Amino acid sequence: MTLSEEFLTAYDRQLRTDAETPSAIAVEHLGPLRLVTFAGGRGFVTYQDLGGASAQTIAQWVAEALAFYRSDPAIVRVEWKTRGHDYAPGLRETLLANGFEADETESIMIGPAGALTADVRLPPGISLRRITEEPDIRAMSAMQDEVFGDAVSAGNAEAILRRAALDDGMELWVAEHEGSIVSAGRLEPVPGTEFAGIWGGATRAGWRGQGIYRALTAARARAAVTLGKTLIHSDSTEYSRPILERYGLLRVSTTTPYYWRR
């Protein structure tokens, strides 16, 4: 087994469980599917594998899962998380036929946490810190909304604040210039596993290419090592993937989210 295959096996076994959705407020099961409900009217469909199901069975599951979420008027958006290495005949076509839309495909990156901890020189005037206070979290959320091309959403900020209140190990990190957040991301140690995830990485366009995201990643990796985690995983855009590859993370598969909106 290659190192990439070892990482992917660990990913499937350790992360594609309840560990994937620590902030869920409800989880229902439909065959191998986990139908997750998050605060803020968000549904999320995931699974460890589909057990070799046929296209016909998968189509039935998609229809039943969507009916489940449609029956709850509080649900406004559902994400169906697919992985490129899964055997899932007809899934993409069925999701599209049921009103889901594909978002950007990202790379599943995994590697040793220690490989990411190198010191990185920051541009003049840039500082890093972990944030915990509500005004900082709201400012971080607004910056991420803007960078991702979304309208600034109080709902997104509220979801992060609710998650922070759980005190489940999640850490929020930012890079600032003259009191303004220019880059941000979170660290999510996964209880009972070797893994910590790095998520939500966003850097304002004018500050990219200067090592800020790399430094923010190193800070989160050092925090993960302190917590005893040995592996880092991330779903990475084509912007962040090359940065992680340079420091030893491997692209083990891909993930494509499909979204249904009420």
Side-chain angles (χ1 to χ4, degrees), residues 154-196:
N156 289 342
E158 293 291 343
I160 298 171
L161 287 165
R162 282 191 292 267
R163 175 70 188 282
L166 296 175
D167 194 24
D168 61 1
M170 179 185 72
E171 298 184 10
L172 304 174
W173 287 79
V174 299
E176 295 173 302
H177 180 262
E178 297 181 351
S180 176
I181 296 175
V182 299
S183 185
R186 70 185 187 273
L187 174 74
E188 297 202 12
V190 185
T193 75
E194 303 169 80
F195 286 92

Side-chain angles (χ1 to χ4, degrees), residues 100-142:
F100 285 82
E101 297 180 353
D103 204 351
E104 178 182 2
T105 296
E106 296 184 333
S107 298
I108 299 173
M109 307 294 296
I110 299 178
L116 290 170
T117 60
D119 290 331
V120 180
R121 179 176 295 180
L122 287 165
I126 295 290
S127 60
L128 305 182
R129 67 185 176 104
R130 181 184 172 189
I131 62 171
T132 58
E133 299 300 318
E134 181 175 342
D136 291 330
I137 292 173
R138 289 190 181 278
M140 180 202 74
S141 178

Side-chain angles (χ1 to χ4, degrees), residues 3-20:
L3 185 58
S4 178
E5 290 169 338
E6 289 180 10
F7 285 159
L8 185 57
T9 297
Y11 171 88
D12 283 339
R13 289 179 178 173
Q14 296 184 41
L15 297 181
R16 298 180 70 175
T17 65
D18 284 338
E20 187 177 8

